[in-house]
Amino acid sequence: MSEDQEDFDLNDLDNKELVEQIQDDLYDGLDEEVAEGVEILLGRGIDANDVLGDALVGGMKVVGEDFRDGILFVPEVLKCAAAMKSGMVLLRPILAKSAIDISLGKFVIGTVKGDIHDIGKNLVGMMLEGAGFEVIDLGINNPVENYLEAIDEHKPVIMGMSALLTTTMPYMGVVIEEFDKRGLMDEVHVMVGGAPLNQEFADAIGAPAYGRDAARSAELAAAYVEANR
Ligand code: B1M
């Protein structure tokens, strides 16, 4: 380690510099540094949502662009994802702290078959917990059978699917078709989300709800429950 690096202290940076430093550290896959930076910002009283949006999601945006342009490859992006998660672990208890006494019910969420992206799904899960839902996370790569089993076992109010690839998002339509065949669309509200989706796609596959981002999804889900109590 060079003398410069040894002397470098994240505490010396102002908030704006620290956000940029966290973005750089996330890009370089430095999980300990990302976690330290997040801790410092929280310790300075910065809102957890701002830390998430500016430092972590902001950093991942740059990663996504360079991944798309062939500057970063899968092994590097995996490290970035791990670094992002090291920051999310610290935000989770704050974002997920139950804001409401009465549970809004169960929300099952999972990434669809063929897709292993889970950062966005995990964020949505955190926000839902914060809004008052009990979240059952099915993880990644879920075939329709997993969603069906989860409905049977947990009787959720809402079932959420996430997809990050244009090649996996049509599978959401397959799941909805199966639900429809089994008469489940009246029993469970379905929400879909993920970067390549939009309202038009959600409408086309017959999804009753489309969540644009984590915060909006939690608001939509809570509003649905309130309206149907
Ligand atoms: Co992937 N990947 N990736 N990747 N990866 C994308 C998605 C891509 C856009 C990158 C790019 O080219 N710019 C591109 C997809 C292109 C396309 O389909 N058109 C892509 C590709 C091509 C691939 C591979 C095929 C690469 C390869 O192998 N050649 C491969 C596929 C693997 C597979 O799934 N079968 C692959 C692999 C990976 C990694 C494993 C390396 C890693 C995932 C690690 C992990 O998740 N644990 C990875 C990552 C990290 C990305 C990018 C860089 C970042 C995704 C992310 O976490 N974003 C991504 C580029 C990008 O999106 N800019 C990319 C941050 C997150 C907070 O946002 O997930 O959008 P997001 O979630 C948001 C909203 O979308 C919404 O709320 C969230 C929070 O606000 N939301 C929901 C999400 N789910 C929701 C569900 C809801 C409601 C809202 O209701 C239930």
PDB file of all heavy atoms in Angstrom, residues 60 64 67-68 77-78 81 85 114-120 123-124 160-162 164-166 191 193-195 211-214 217, ligand 1:
ATOM      1  N   MET A  60     -23.953   2.044  -9.376  1.00  0.00           N
ATOM      2  CA  MET A  60     -24.298   0.891 -10.212  1.00  0.00           C
ATOM      3  C   MET A  60     -24.712   1.315 -11.614  1.00  0.00           C
ATOM      4  O   MET A  60     -24.570   0.557 -12.573  1.00  0.00           O
ATOM      5  CB  MET A  60     -25.412   0.094  -9.515  1.00  0.00           C
ATOM      6  CG  MET A  60     -25.667  -1.271 -10.124  1.00  0.00           C
ATOM      7  SD  MET A  60     -24.180  -2.271 -10.369  1.00  0.00           S
ATOM      8  CE  MET A  60     -24.221  -3.314  -8.934  1.00  0.00           C
ATOM      9  N   GLY A  64     -23.356  -0.282 -15.023  1.00  0.00           N
ATOM     10  CA  GLY A  64     -24.242  -0.775 -16.070  1.00  0.00           C
ATOM     11  C   GLY A  64     -23.858  -0.239 -17.441  1.00  0.00           C
ATOM     12  O   GLY A  64     -23.872  -0.966 -18.432  1.00  0.00           O
ATOM     13  N   PHE A  67     -20.626  -1.892 -18.510  1.00  0.00           N
ATOM     14  CA  PHE A  67     -20.901  -3.308 -18.797  1.00  0.00           C
ATOM     15  C   PHE A  67     -21.478  -3.395 -20.216  1.00  0.00           C
ATOM     16  O   PHE A  67     -21.041  -4.183 -21.043  1.00  0.00           O
ATOM     17  CB  PHE A  67     -21.898  -3.805 -17.753  1.00  0.00           C
ATOM     18  CG  PHE A  67     -22.139  -5.295 -17.739  1.00  0.00           C
ATOM     19  CD1 PHE A  67     -21.171  -6.214 -18.125  1.00  0.00           C
ATOM     20  CD2 PHE A  67     -23.353  -5.797 -17.261  1.00  0.00           C
ATOM     21  CE1 PHE A  67     -21.419  -7.585 -18.068  1.00  0.00           C
ATOM     22  CE2 PHE A  67     -23.603  -7.165 -17.205  1.00  0.00           C
ATOM     23  CZ  PHE A  67     -22.637  -8.052 -17.614  1.00  0.00           C
ATOM     24  N   ARG A  68     -22.448  -2.522 -20.485  1.00  0.00           N
ATOM     25  CA  ARG A  68     -23.088  -2.477 -21.806  1.00  0.00           C
ATOM     26  C   ARG A  68     -22.064  -2.200 -22.894  1.00  0.00           C
ATOM     27  O   ARG A  68     -22.089  -2.798 -23.967  1.00  0.00           O
ATOM     28  CB  ARG A  68     -24.159  -1.374 -21.804  1.00  0.00           C
ATOM     29  CG  ARG A  68     -24.888  -1.191 -23.123  1.00  0.00           C
ATOM     30  CD  ARG A  68     -25.595   0.137 -23.159  1.00  0.00           C
ATOM     31  NE  ARG A  68     -24.658   1.263 -23.016  1.00  0.00           N
ATOM     32  CZ  ARG A  68     -24.957   2.435 -22.457  1.00  0.00           C
ATOM     33  NH1 ARG A  68     -26.160   2.635 -21.963  1.00  0.00           N
ATOM     34  NH2 ARG A  68     -24.051   3.402 -22.377  1.00  0.00           N
ATOM     35  N   VAL A  77     -18.286  -7.173 -12.762  1.00  0.00           N
ATOM     36  CA  VAL A  77     -19.620  -6.704 -12.357  1.00  0.00           C
ATOM     37  C   VAL A  77     -20.119  -7.486 -11.132  1.00  0.00           C
ATOM     38  O   VAL A  77     -20.816  -6.937 -10.274  1.00  0.00           O
ATOM     39  CB  VAL A  77     -20.616  -6.778 -13.545  1.00  0.00           C
ATOM     40  CG1 VAL A  77     -22.013  -6.356 -13.112  1.00  0.00           C
ATOM     41  CG2 VAL A  77     -20.141  -5.891 -14.676  1.00  0.00           C
ATOM     42  N   LEU A  78     -19.700  -8.746 -11.035  1.00  0.00           N
ATOM     43  CA  LEU A  78     -20.070  -9.526  -9.841  1.00  0.00           C
ATOM     44  C   LEU A  78     -19.469  -8.891  -8.592  1.00  0.00           C
ATOM     45  O   LEU A  78     -20.110  -8.832  -7.545  1.00  0.00           O
ATOM     46  CB  LEU A  78     -19.574 -10.964  -9.972  1.00  0.00           C
ATOM     47  CG  LEU A  78     -20.499 -11.919 -10.716  1.00  0.00           C
ATOM     48  CD1 LEU A  78     -19.827 -13.279 -10.903  1.00  0.00           C
ATOM     49  CD2 LEU A  78     -21.809 -12.103  -9.953  1.00  0.00           C
ATOM     50  N   ALA A  81     -21.438  -5.906  -7.760  1.00  0.00           N
ATOM     51  CA  ALA A  81     -22.705  -6.287  -7.128  1.00  0.00           C
ATOM     52  C   ALA A  81     -22.484  -6.628  -5.657  1.00  0.00           C
ATOM     53  O   ALA A  81     -23.276  -6.253  -4.788  1.00  0.00           O
ATOM     54  CB  ALA A  81     -23.326  -7.478  -7.862  1.00  0.00           C
ATOM     55  N   LYS A  85     -24.027  -4.767  -2.404  1.00  0.00           N
ATOM     56  CA  LYS A  85     -24.753  -5.480  -1.339  1.00  0.00           C
ATOM     57  C   LYS A  85     -24.160  -5.177   0.036  1.00  0.00           C
ATOM     58  O   LYS A  85     -24.879  -5.138   1.032  1.00  0.00           O
ATOM     59  CB  LYS A  85     -24.738  -6.988  -1.614  1.00  0.00           C
ATOM     60  CG  LYS A  85     -25.684  -7.369  -2.736  1.00  0.00           C
ATOM     61  CD  LYS A  85     -25.755  -8.856  -2.965  1.00  0.00           C
ATOM     62  CE  LYS A  85     -26.732  -9.166  -4.084  1.00  0.00           C
ATOM     63  NZ  LYS A  85     -26.835 -10.606  -4.367  1.00  0.00           N
ATOM     64  N   GLY A 114     -34.550 -18.082 -15.556  1.00  0.00           N
ATOM     65  CA  GLY A 114     -33.521 -17.688 -16.527  1.00  0.00           C
ATOM     66  C   GLY A 114     -32.778 -16.427 -16.133  1.00  0.00           C
ATOM     67  O   GLY A 114     -31.821 -16.033 -16.796  1.00  0.00           O
ATOM     68  N   ASP A 115     -33.207 -15.811 -15.041  1.00  0.00           N
ATOM     69  CA  ASP A 115     -32.647 -14.505 -14.662  1.00  0.00           C
ATOM     70  C   ASP A 115     -32.064 -14.576 -13.248  1.00  0.00           C
ATOM     71  O   ASP A 115     -32.746 -15.029 -12.325  1.00  0.00           O
ATOM     72  CB  ASP A 115     -33.783 -13.454 -14.702  1.00  0.00           C
ATOM     73  CG  ASP A 115     -33.265 -12.038 -14.860  1.00  0.00           C
ATOM     74  OD1 ASP A 115     -32.239 -11.720 -14.230  1.00  0.00           O
ATOM     75  OD2 ASP A 115     -33.891 -11.263 -15.613  1.00  0.00           O
ATOM     76  N   ILE A 116     -30.798 -14.139 -13.124  1.00  0.00           N
ATOM     77  CA  ILE A 116     -30.169 -14.228 -11.791  1.00  0.00           C
ATOM     78  C   ILE A 116     -29.924 -12.850 -11.164  1.00  0.00           C
ATOM     79  O   ILE A 116     -29.245 -12.748 -10.162  1.00  0.00           O
ATOM     80  CB  ILE A 116     -28.846 -15.035 -11.855  1.00  0.00           C
ATOM     81  CG1 ILE A 116     -27.820 -14.350 -12.765  1.00  0.00           C
ATOM     82  CG2 ILE A 116     -29.100 -16.463 -12.318  1.00  0.00           C
ATOM     83  CD1 ILE A 116     -26.417 -14.930 -12.650  1.00  0.00           C
ATOM     84  N   HIS A 117     -30.450 -11.800 -11.775  1.00  0.00           N
ATOM     85  CA  HIS A 117     -30.282 -10.457 -11.186  1.00  0.00           C
ATOM     86  C   HIS A 117     -31.164 -10.338  -9.942  1.00  0.00           C
ATOM     87  O   HIS A 117     -32.358 -10.632 -10.007  1.00  0.00           O
ATOM     88  CB  HIS A 117     -30.685  -9.374 -12.194  1.00  0.00           C
ATOM     89  CG  HIS A 117     -29.792  -9.328 -13.394  1.00  0.00           C
ATOM     90  ND1 HIS A 117     -29.984 -10.137 -14.479  1.00  0.00           N
ATOM     91  CD2 HIS A 117     -28.692  -8.581 -13.664  1.00  0.00           C
ATOM     92  CE1 HIS A 117     -29.045  -9.886 -15.386  1.00  0.00           C
ATOM     93  NE2 HIS A 117     -28.241  -8.941 -14.920  1.00  0.00           N
ATOM     94  N   ASP A 118     -30.582  -9.890  -8.836  1.00  0.00           N
ATOM     95  CA  ASP A 118     -31.418  -9.808  -7.633  1.00  0.00           C
ATOM     96  C   ASP A 118     -31.269  -8.513  -6.828  1.00  0.00           C
ATOM     97  O   ASP A 118     -31.933  -8.345  -5.801  1.00  0.00           O
ATOM     98  CB  ASP A 118     -31.176 -11.019  -6.706  1.00  0.00           C
ATOM     99  CG  ASP A 118     -29.787 -11.038  -6.082  1.00  0.00           C
ATOM    100  OD1 ASP A 118     -28.953 -10.179  -6.429  1.00  0.00           O
ATOM    101  OD2 ASP A 118     -29.538 -11.921  -5.238  1.00  0.00           O
ATOM    102  N   ILE A 119     -30.421  -7.606  -7.255  1.00  0.00           N
ATOM    103  CA  ILE A 119     -30.194  -6.393  -6.456  1.00  0.00           C
ATOM    104  C   ILE A 119     -31.467  -5.540  -6.387  1.00  0.00           C
ATOM    105  O   ILE A 119     -31.892  -5.113  -5.311  1.00  0.00           O
ATOM    106  CB  ILE A 119     -29.008  -5.588  -7.017  1.00  0.00           C
ATOM    107  CG1 ILE A 119     -27.718  -6.404  -6.863  1.00  0.00           C
ATOM    108  CG2 ILE A 119     -28.876  -4.242  -6.313  1.00  0.00           C
ATOM    109  CD1 ILE A 119     -26.497  -5.795  -7.517  1.00  0.00           C
ATOM    110  N   GLY A 120     -32.061  -5.311  -7.542  1.00  0.00           N
ATOM    111  CA  GLY A 120     -33.289  -4.498  -7.578  1.00  0.00           C
ATOM    112  C   GLY A 120     -34.409  -5.169  -6.800  1.00  0.00           C
ATOM    113  O   GLY A 120     -35.115  -4.516  -6.030  1.00  0.00           O
ATOM    114  N   LEU A 123     -33.928  -4.693  -3.181  1.00  0.00           N
ATOM    115  CA  LEU A 123     -34.277  -3.327  -2.773  1.00  0.00           C
ATOM    116  C   LEU A 123     -35.791  -3.160  -2.645  1.00  0.00           C
ATOM    117  O   LEU A 123     -36.280  -2.557  -1.687  1.00  0.00           O
ATOM    118  CB  LEU A 123     -33.801  -2.336  -3.839  1.00  0.00           C
ATOM    119  CG  LEU A 123     -32.429  -1.731  -3.662  1.00  0.00           C
ATOM    120  CD1 LEU A 123     -32.158  -0.753  -4.789  1.00  0.00           C
ATOM    121  CD2 LEU A 123     -32.378  -1.011  -2.321  1.00  0.00           C
ATOM    122  N   VAL A 124     -36.498  -3.706  -3.614  1.00  0.00           N
ATOM    123  CA  VAL A 124     -37.968  -3.624  -3.561  1.00  0.00           C
ATOM    124  C   VAL A 124     -38.448  -4.313  -2.286  1.00  0.00           C
ATOM    125  O   VAL A 124     -39.289  -3.778  -1.555  1.00  0.00           O
ATOM    126  CB  VAL A 124     -38.607  -4.272  -4.824  1.00  0.00           C
ATOM    127  CG1 VAL A 124     -40.128  -4.311  -4.704  1.00  0.00           C
ATOM    128  CG2 VAL A 124     -38.203  -3.513  -6.079  1.00  0.00           C
ATOM    129  N   GLY A 160     -45.045 -10.704  -6.588  1.00  0.00           N
ATOM    130  CA  GLY A 160     -44.227  -9.838  -7.430  1.00  0.00           C
ATOM    131  C   GLY A 160     -43.170 -10.598  -8.216  1.00  0.00           C
ATOM    132  O   GLY A 160     -42.538 -11.512  -7.694  1.00  0.00           O
ATOM    133  N   MET A 161     -43.007 -10.193  -9.480  1.00  0.00           N
ATOM    134  CA  MET A 161     -41.957 -10.804 -10.316  1.00  0.00           C
ATOM    135  C   MET A 161     -41.003  -9.719 -10.787  1.00  0.00           C
ATOM    136  O   MET A 161     -41.431  -8.627 -11.170  1.00  0.00           O
ATOM    137  CB  MET A 161     -42.577 -11.466 -11.542  1.00  0.00           C
ATOM    138  CG  MET A 161     -43.354 -12.715 -11.239  1.00  0.00           C
ATOM    139  SD  MET A 161     -43.940 -13.473 -12.765  1.00  0.00           S
ATOM    140  CE  MET A 161     -45.482 -12.606 -13.031  1.00  0.00           C
ATOM    141  N   SER A 162     -39.720 -10.085 -10.783  1.00  0.00           N
ATOM    142  CA  SER A 162     -38.697  -9.157 -11.264  1.00  0.00           C
ATOM    143  C   SER A 162     -37.965  -9.786 -12.445  1.00  0.00           C
ATOM    144  O   SER A 162     -37.731 -10.997 -12.464  1.00  0.00           O
ATOM    145  CB  SER A 162     -37.707  -8.877 -10.120  1.00  0.00           C
ATOM    146  OG  SER A 162     -36.651  -8.062 -10.556  1.00  0.00           O
ATOM    147  N   LEU A 164     -34.668  -8.595 -15.347  1.00  0.00           N
ATOM    148  CA  LEU A 164     -33.725  -7.557 -15.793  1.00  0.00           C
ATOM    149  C   LEU A 164     -33.289  -7.749 -17.239  1.00  0.00           C
ATOM    150  O   LEU A 164     -32.541  -6.933 -17.780  1.00  0.00           O
ATOM    151  CB  LEU A 164     -32.487  -7.563 -14.880  1.00  0.00           C
ATOM    152  CG  LEU A 164     -32.404  -6.535 -13.749  1.00  0.00           C
ATOM    153  CD1 LEU A 164     -32.095  -5.160 -14.255  1.00  0.00           C
ATOM    154  CD2 LEU A 164     -33.690  -6.487 -12.959  1.00  0.00           C
ATOM    155  N   LEU A 165     -33.722  -8.831 -17.841  1.00  0.00           N
ATOM    156  CA  LEU A 165     -33.282  -9.117 -19.207  1.00  0.00           C
ATOM    157  C   LEU A 165     -34.476  -9.084 -20.161  1.00  0.00           C
ATOM    158  O   LEU A 165     -35.561  -9.555 -19.798  1.00  0.00           O
ATOM    159  CB  LEU A 165     -32.632 -10.504 -19.273  1.00  0.00           C
ATOM    160  CG  LEU A 165     -31.393 -10.725 -18.401  1.00  0.00           C
ATOM    161  CD1 LEU A 165     -31.003 -12.202 -18.399  1.00  0.00           C
ATOM    162  CD2 LEU A 165     -30.228  -9.876 -18.886  1.00  0.00           C
ATOM    163  N   THR A 166     -34.226  -8.575 -21.363  1.00  0.00           N
ATOM    164  CA  THR A 166     -35.313  -8.565 -22.346  1.00  0.00           C
ATOM    165  C   THR A 166     -35.672 -10.005 -22.729  1.00  0.00           C
ATOM    166  O   THR A 166     -36.785 -10.263 -23.192  1.00  0.00           O
ATOM    167  CB  THR A 166     -34.905  -7.772 -23.607  1.00  0.00           C
ATOM    168  OG1 THR A 166     -33.592  -8.185 -24.000  1.00  0.00           O
ATOM    169  CG2 THR A 166     -34.894  -6.287 -23.353  1.00  0.00           C
ATOM    170  N   MET A 191     -47.740  -7.979  -9.301  1.00  0.00           N
ATOM    171  CA  MET A 191     -46.950  -6.795  -9.660  1.00  0.00           C
ATOM    172  C   MET A 191     -45.682  -7.242 -10.388  1.00  0.00           C
ATOM    173  O   MET A 191     -45.027  -8.195  -9.975  1.00  0.00           O
ATOM    174  CB  MET A 191     -46.555  -6.004  -8.405  1.00  0.00           C
ATOM    175  CG  MET A 191     -45.721  -4.767  -8.745  1.00  0.00           C
ATOM    176  SD  MET A 191     -45.155  -3.864  -7.278  1.00  0.00           S
ATOM    177  CE  MET A 191     -46.664  -3.117  -6.723  1.00  0.00           C
ATOM    178  N   GLY A 193     -41.910  -5.884 -12.301  1.00  0.00           N
ATOM    179  CA  GLY A 193     -40.974  -4.757 -12.358  1.00  0.00           C
ATOM    180  C   GLY A 193     -39.601  -5.209 -12.831  1.00  0.00           C
ATOM    181  O   GLY A 193     -39.331  -6.404 -12.942  1.00  0.00           O
ATOM    182  N   GLY A 194     -38.759  -4.226 -13.112  1.00  0.00           N
ATOM    183  CA  GLY A 194     -37.410  -4.509 -13.619  1.00  0.00           C
ATOM    184  C   GLY A 194     -37.046  -3.496 -14.680  1.00  0.00           C
ATOM    185  O   GLY A 194     -37.935  -2.960 -15.351  1.00  0.00           O
ATOM    186  N   ALA A 195     -35.754  -3.240 -14.827  1.00  0.00           N
ATOM    187  CA  ALA A 195     -35.299  -2.155 -15.702  1.00  0.00           C
ATOM    188  C   ALA A 195     -35.836  -2.180 -17.145  1.00  0.00           C
ATOM    189  O   ALA A 195     -36.162  -1.114 -17.681  1.00  0.00           O
ATOM    190  CB  ALA A 195     -33.777  -2.108 -15.705  1.00  0.00           C
ATOM    191  N   GLY A 211     -44.357  -1.860 -11.148  1.00  0.00           N
ATOM    192  CA  GLY A 211     -43.572  -1.036 -10.228  1.00  0.00           C
ATOM    193  C   GLY A 211     -42.337  -0.495 -10.925  1.00  0.00           C
ATOM    194  O   GLY A 211     -41.477  -1.261 -11.347  1.00  0.00           O
ATOM    195  N   ARG A 212     -42.283   0.823 -11.044  1.00  0.00           N
ATOM    196  CA  ARG A 212     -41.175   1.442 -11.773  1.00  0.00           C
ATOM    197  C   ARG A 212     -39.872   1.355 -10.988  1.00  0.00           C
ATOM    198  O   ARG A 212     -38.815   1.083 -11.536  1.00  0.00           O
ATOM    199  CB  ARG A 212     -41.537   2.897 -12.062  1.00  0.00           C
ATOM    200  CG  ARG A 212     -40.710   3.550 -13.136  1.00  0.00           C
ATOM    201  CD  ARG A 212     -41.105   4.996 -13.305  1.00  0.00           C
ATOM    202  NE  ARG A 212     -41.044   5.710 -12.040  1.00  0.00           N
ATOM    203  CZ  ARG A 212     -41.975   6.547 -11.583  1.00  0.00           C
ATOM    204  NH1 ARG A 212     -43.046   6.778 -12.287  1.00  0.00           N
ATOM    205  NH2 ARG A 212     -41.838   7.169 -10.430  1.00  0.00           N
ATOM    206  N   ASP A 213     -39.953   1.648  -9.705  1.00  0.00           N
ATOM    207  CA  ASP A 213     -38.763   1.545  -8.852  1.00  0.00           C
ATOM    208  C   ASP A 213     -39.199   1.098  -7.465  1.00  0.00           C
ATOM    209  O   ASP A 213     -40.394   0.918  -7.203  1.00  0.00           O
ATOM    210  CB  ASP A 213     -37.998   2.879  -8.799  1.00  0.00           C
ATOM    211  CG  ASP A 213     -38.871   4.018  -8.323  1.00  0.00           C
ATOM    212  OD1 ASP A 213     -39.728   3.779  -7.456  1.00  0.00           O
ATOM    213  OD2 ASP A 213     -38.713   5.145  -8.811  1.00  0.00           O
ATOM    214  N   ALA A 214     -38.210   0.921  -6.576  1.00  0.00           N
ATOM    215  CA  ALA A 214     -38.525   0.313  -5.282  1.00  0.00           C
ATOM    216  C   ALA A 214     -39.504   1.167  -4.476  1.00  0.00           C
ATOM    217  O   ALA A 214     -40.485   0.644  -3.927  1.00  0.00           O
ATOM    218  CB  ALA A 214     -37.238   0.085  -4.498  1.00  0.00           C
ATOM    219  N   SER A 217     -42.965   1.147  -6.012  1.00  0.00           N
ATOM    220  CA  SER A 217     -43.595  -0.177  -5.883  1.00  0.00           C
ATOM    221  C   SER A 217     -44.194  -0.342  -4.496  1.00  0.00           C
ATOM    222  O   SER A 217     -45.301  -0.870  -4.351  1.00  0.00           O
ATOM    223  CB  SER A 217     -42.562  -1.291  -6.120  1.00  0.00           C
ATOM    224  OG  SER A 217     -41.983  -1.141  -7.385  1.00  0.00           O
TER     225      SER A 217
HETATM  226 CO1  B1M B   1     -26.524  -8.141 -16.009  1.00  0.00          CO
HETATM  227  N1  B1M B   1     -27.377  -7.238 -17.528  1.00  0.00           N
HETATM  228  N2  B1M B   1     -26.231  -9.701 -17.139  1.00  0.00           N
HETATM  229  N3  B1M B   1     -25.507  -8.827 -14.517  1.00  0.00           N
HETATM  230  N4  B1M B   1     -26.580  -6.438 -15.281  1.00  0.00           N
HETATM  231  C1  B1M B   1     -27.962  -5.925 -17.275  1.00  0.00           C
HETATM  232  C2  B1M B   1     -29.421  -6.059 -16.838  1.00  0.00           C
HETATM  233  C3  B1M B   1     -27.774  -5.186 -18.673  1.00  0.00           C
HETATM  234  C4  B1M B   1     -28.821  -4.071 -18.938  1.00  0.00           C
HETATM  235  C5  B1M B   1     -26.349  -4.636 -18.756  1.00  0.00           C
HETATM  236  C6  B1M B   1     -26.101  -3.877 -20.034  1.00  0.00           C
HETATM  237  O1  B1M B   1     -25.905  -4.477 -21.065  1.00  0.00           O
HETATM  238  N5  B1M B   1     -26.102  -2.574 -19.958  1.00  0.00           N
HETATM  239  C7  B1M B   1     -27.904  -6.373 -19.629  1.00  0.00           C
HETATM  240  C8  B1M B   1     -29.316  -6.701 -20.120  1.00  0.00           C
HETATM  241  C9  B1M B   1     -29.532  -6.321 -21.573  1.00  0.00           C
HETATM  242  C10 B1M B   1     -30.874  -6.690 -22.037  1.00  0.00           C
HETATM  243  O2  B1M B   1     -31.502  -7.630 -21.659  1.00  0.00           O
HETATM  244  N6  B1M B   1     -31.365  -5.865 -22.921  1.00  0.00           N
HETATM  245  C11 B1M B   1     -27.325  -7.501 -18.809  1.00  0.00           C
HETATM  246  C12 B1M B   1     -26.802  -8.705 -19.352  1.00  0.00           C
HETATM  247  C13 B1M B   1     -26.741  -8.810 -20.855  1.00  0.00           C
HETATM  248  C14 B1M B   1     -26.355  -9.760 -18.534  1.00  0.00           C
HETATM  249  C15 B1M B   1     -25.794 -11.119 -18.988  1.00  0.00           C
HETATM  250  C16 B1M B   1     -26.573 -11.802 -20.137  1.00  0.00           C
HETATM  251  C17 B1M B   1     -24.312 -10.915 -19.339  1.00  0.00           C
HETATM  252  C18 B1M B   1     -23.588 -12.117 -19.877  1.00  0.00           C
HETATM  253  O3  B1M B   1     -23.543 -13.149 -19.273  1.00  0.00           O
HETATM  254  N7  B1M B   1     -23.080 -11.936 -21.061  1.00  0.00           N
HETATM  255  C19 B1M B   1     -25.881 -11.959 -17.681  1.00  0.00           C
HETATM  256  C20 B1M B   1     -27.241 -12.649 -17.537  1.00  0.00           C
HETATM  257  C21 B1M B   1     -27.280 -13.567 -16.369  1.00  0.00           C
HETATM  258  C22 B1M B   1     -28.700 -14.077 -16.127  1.00  0.00           C
HETATM  259  O4  B1M B   1     -29.486 -13.417 -15.443  1.00  0.00           O
HETATM  260  N8  B1M B   1     -29.032 -15.228 -16.700  1.00  0.00           N
HETATM  261  C23 B1M B   1     -25.748 -10.876 -16.654  1.00  0.00           C
HETATM  262  C24 B1M B   1     -25.162 -11.067 -15.402  1.00  0.00           C
HETATM  263  C25 B1M B   1     -25.018 -10.095 -14.449  1.00  0.00           C
HETATM  264  C26 B1M B   1     -24.233 -10.279 -13.153  1.00  0.00           C
HETATM  265  C27 B1M B   1     -24.424 -11.676 -12.546  1.00  0.00           C
HETATM  266  C28 B1M B   1     -22.781 -10.050 -13.449  1.00  0.00           C
HETATM  267  C29 B1M B   1     -24.772  -9.091 -12.272  1.00  0.00           C
HETATM  268  C30 B1M B   1     -25.993  -9.468 -11.391  1.00  0.00           C
HETATM  269  C31 B1M B   1     -25.615  -9.620  -9.940  1.00  0.00           C
HETATM  270  C32 B1M B   1     -26.838  -9.660  -9.059  1.00  0.00           C
HETATM  271  O5  B1M B   1     -27.902  -9.112  -9.335  1.00  0.00           O
HETATM  272  N9  B1M B   1     -26.650 -10.307  -7.955  1.00  0.00           N
HETATM  273  C33 B1M B   1     -25.293  -8.133 -13.346  1.00  0.00           C
HETATM  274  C34 B1M B   1     -25.570  -6.753 -13.115  1.00  0.00           C
HETATM  275  C35 B1M B   1     -25.180  -6.213 -11.747  1.00  0.00           C
HETATM  276  C36 B1M B   1     -26.163  -5.920 -14.093  1.00  0.00           C
HETATM  277  C37 B1M B   1     -26.362  -4.392 -14.070  1.00  0.00           C
HETATM  278  C38 B1M B   1     -24.998  -3.782 -14.309  1.00  0.00           C
HETATM  279  C39 B1M B   1     -26.971  -3.773 -12.833  1.00  0.00           C
HETATM  280  C40 B1M B   1     -28.326  -4.344 -12.412  1.00  0.00           C
HETATM  281  C41 B1M B   1     -28.666  -3.751 -11.068  1.00  0.00           C
HETATM  282  O6  B1M B   1     -28.458  -4.381 -10.047  1.00  0.00           O
HETATM  283  N10 B1M B   1     -29.131  -2.489 -11.092  1.00  0.00           N
HETATM  284  C42 B1M B   1     -27.371  -4.192 -15.285  1.00  0.00           C
HETATM  285  C43 B1M B   1     -27.246  -2.841 -15.948  1.00  0.00           C
HETATM  286  C44 B1M B   1     -28.330  -1.878 -15.492  1.00  0.00           C
HETATM  287  O7  B1M B   1     -29.409  -2.248 -15.122  1.00  0.00           O
HETATM  288  N11 B1M B   1     -28.007  -0.618 -15.582  1.00  0.00           N
HETATM  289  C45 B1M B   1     -27.224  -5.439 -16.031  1.00  0.00           C
HETATM  290  C46 B1M B   1     -29.393  -1.732  -9.858  1.00  0.00           C
HETATM  291  C47 B1M B   1     -30.822  -2.025  -9.360  1.00  0.00           C
HETATM  292  C48 B1M B   1     -31.088  -1.203  -8.094  1.00  0.00           C
HETATM  293  O8  B1M B   1     -31.748  -1.622 -10.348  1.00  0.00           O
HETATM  294  O9  B1M B   1     -32.344  -4.003 -10.959  1.00  0.00           O
HETATM  295  O10 B1M B   1     -33.247  -2.057 -12.314  1.00  0.00           O
HETATM  296  P1  B1M B   1     -32.824  -2.603 -11.025  1.00  0.00           P
HETATM  297  O11 B1M B   1     -34.082  -2.559 -10.018  1.00  0.00           O
HETATM  298  C49 B1M B   1     -34.873  -1.402  -9.846  1.00  0.00           C
HETATM  299  C50 B1M B   1     -36.103  -1.343 -10.792  1.00  0.00           C
HETATM  300  O12 B1M B   1     -35.887  -2.005 -12.009  1.00  0.00           O
HETATM  301  C51 B1M B   1     -37.228  -1.876  -9.973  1.00  0.00           C
HETATM  302  O13 B1M B   1     -36.893  -1.434  -8.660  1.00  0.00           O
HETATM  303  C52 B1M B   1     -35.490  -1.561  -8.468  1.00  0.00           C
HETATM  304  C53 B1M B   1     -35.040  -0.537  -7.463  1.00  0.00           C
HETATM  305  O14 B1M B   1     -35.444   0.768  -7.754  1.00  0.00           O
HETATM  306  N12 B1M B   1     -37.516  -3.296  -9.906  1.00  0.00           N
HETATM  307  C54 B1M B   1     -38.762  -3.725  -9.546  1.00  0.00           C
HETATM  308  C55 B1M B   1     -36.761  -4.384 -10.085  1.00  0.00           C
HETATM  309  N13 B1M B   1     -37.462  -5.502  -9.869  1.00  0.00           N
HETATM  310  C56 B1M B   1     -38.702  -5.132  -9.524  1.00  0.00           C
HETATM  311  C57 B1M B   1     -39.843  -5.875  -9.172  1.00  0.00           C
HETATM  312  C58 B1M B   1     -41.021  -5.171  -8.855  1.00  0.00           C
HETATM  313  C59 B1M B   1     -41.054  -3.779  -8.891  1.00  0.00           C
HETATM  314  C60 B1M B   1     -39.934  -3.035  -9.230  1.00  0.00           C
HETATM  315  O15 B1M B   1     -42.168  -5.755  -8.524  1.00  0.00           O
HETATM  316  C61 B1M B   1     -42.196  -7.071  -8.107  1.00  0.00           C
END
